[in-house]
Amino acid sequence: MRIILLGPPGAGKGTQAANIVEEYNVPHISTGDIFRKNIKEGTELGKKAQEYMNEGKLVPDELTCGLVASRLSEDDCKNGFMLDGFPRNTFQAEYLDRYLTENNIGLDKVINIEVDSNLLVERACGRRICKNCGATFHVKFNPSKVEDVCDVCGHNLTQRPDDNEETVSHRINVYLSETKPLVDYYTKKGVIANIDGDQDINKVFEDIKAALA
Ligand code: AP5
Ligand code: MG
Ligand code: ZN
């Protein structure tokens, strides 16, 4: 299974990615997670990416595209992969197309999770993440059993530095101008499945499974 997850910030890409990985056993490739790992480890890439991420801007294509291509060429992607947060503009989509064509790889589905913009700020600002195991919670919509403690591994939960109202609003605007055109791009290719993301987390996953069947 070769899948792209598309959708605005806070739509539920990461949340559904965890379900998809479990069901279909494909590697989860999130460019946001890769950048955050590099920031945590203090690499050169992390230092460069951090400036853009803290302001809610896209990290430049020249730092992003090669990274994805080299990740896709690893062994665990031979039988499938799930891209989360890439591509994010037309340049990246065309770059990915070229990579796939050159390597004789087809896409199965682009899962487009749709959520109205006015719900996204609350989703992102209430998000809590576990830096240890990557689990995602929400203070209201998906609370951990014990406040600020990860259900999975027991570590403390934290907030992403870009999950404040101002930065989230900027990320939404970047999505609308740069990323949303990809809905058209993949609709024309006939590979898109539009999923209503404003439903219970489990219902969203049911709809994704139906689209992938
Ligand atoms: P990235 O990490 O990709 O962030 P994003 O696209 O803004 O998306 P999020 O991770 O915020 O949202 P999500 O859809 O994963 O939602 P989640 O499941 O967590 O990118 C971050 C930054 O990195 C970018 O701004 C950019 O700077 C850079 N970057 C990354 N990729 C790049 C690229 N390709 N090119 C250039 N730059 C790039 O859910 C959100 C919350 O809602 C959670 O609390 C969750 O519990 C809750 N929730 C989920 N589903 C539901 C539901 N159905 N009902 C109620 N609540 C729900
Ligand atoms: Mg995410
Ligand atoms: Zn954890």
Side-chain angles (χ1 to χ4, degrees):
M1 193 73 81
R2 296 184 174 91
I3 313 166
I4 292 174
L5 285 177
L6 201 62
K13 300 182 295 294
T15 302
Q16 297 303 330
N19 291 331
I20 293 169
V21 163
E22 206 174 309
E23 181 86 14
Y24 299 96
N25 196 26
V26 283
H28 175 199
I29 304 171
S30 156
T31 38
D33 286 350
I34 294 172
F35 290 139
R36 280 184 288 276
K37 183 165 179 276
N38 276 275
I39 291 171
K40 193 174 162 189
E41 290 168 357
T43 68
E44 276 309 307
L45 173 65
K47 283 177 197 150
K48 288 181 188 152
Q50 188 165 29
E51 293 173 41
Y52 297 93
M53 293 174 78
N54 285 349
E55 292 179 18
K57 294 178 182 162
L58 292 188
V59 176
D61 295 332
E62 54 270 30
L63 296 178
T64 308
C65 290
L67 181 101
V68 173
S70 87
R71 180 64 189 87
L72 287 176
S73 68
E74 284 178 38
D75 271 354
D76 64 336
C77 295
K78 283 227 161 66
N79 296 316
F81 53 78
M82 178 186 43
L83 285 168
D84 162 2
F86 184 96
R88 242 178 160 92
N89 58 26
T90 308
F91 182 89
Q92 294 182 5
E94 289 172 351
Y95 177 94
L96 179 65
D97 272 348
R98 282 195 298 277
Y99 175 87
L100 296 176
T101 307
E102 278 163 17
N103 290 281
N104 247 321
I105 300 168
L107 271 181
D108 291 299
K109 229 18 149 206
V110 175
I111 299 286
N112 176 37
I113 307 181
E114 300 179 295
V115 177
D116 207 74
S117 291
N118 58 31
L119 299 172
L120 297 171
V121 174
E122 189 183 9
R123 285 235 189 144
C125 293
R127 168 166 48 197
R128 297 293 182 272
I129 57 160
C130 175
K131 276 192 176 168
N132 186 50
C133 76
T136 300
F137 302 88
H138 191 283
V139 289
K140 186 162 146 196
F141 304 131
N142 185 22
S144 54
K145 291 193 184 83
V146 179
E147 199 183 326
D148 287 335
V149 177
C150 178
D151 287 358
V152 181
C153 74
H155 274 68
N156 280 343
L157 300 179
T158 53
Q159 254 190 305
R160 265 169 50 176
D162 58 346
D163 277 348
N164 57 75
E165 221 173 303
E166 193 191 337
T167 312
V168 174
S169 301
H170 190 72
R171 283 159 56 202
I172 293 169
N173 287 335
V174 170
Y175 166 80
L176 292 172
S177 60
E178 302 271 322
T179 312
K180 203 169 177 215
L182 299 186
V183 175
D184 249 14
Y185 182 92
Y186 287 114
T187 303
K188 284 186 186 134
K189 288 184 179 287
V191 289
I192 208 155
N194 294 309
I195 303 289
D196 177 5
D198 183 17
Q199 312 180 79
D200 181 83
I201 290 172
N202 297 320
K203 178 65 174 72
V204 176
F205 185 49
E206 288 304 315
D207 288 359
I208 291 175
K209 278 194 288 189
L212 292 175

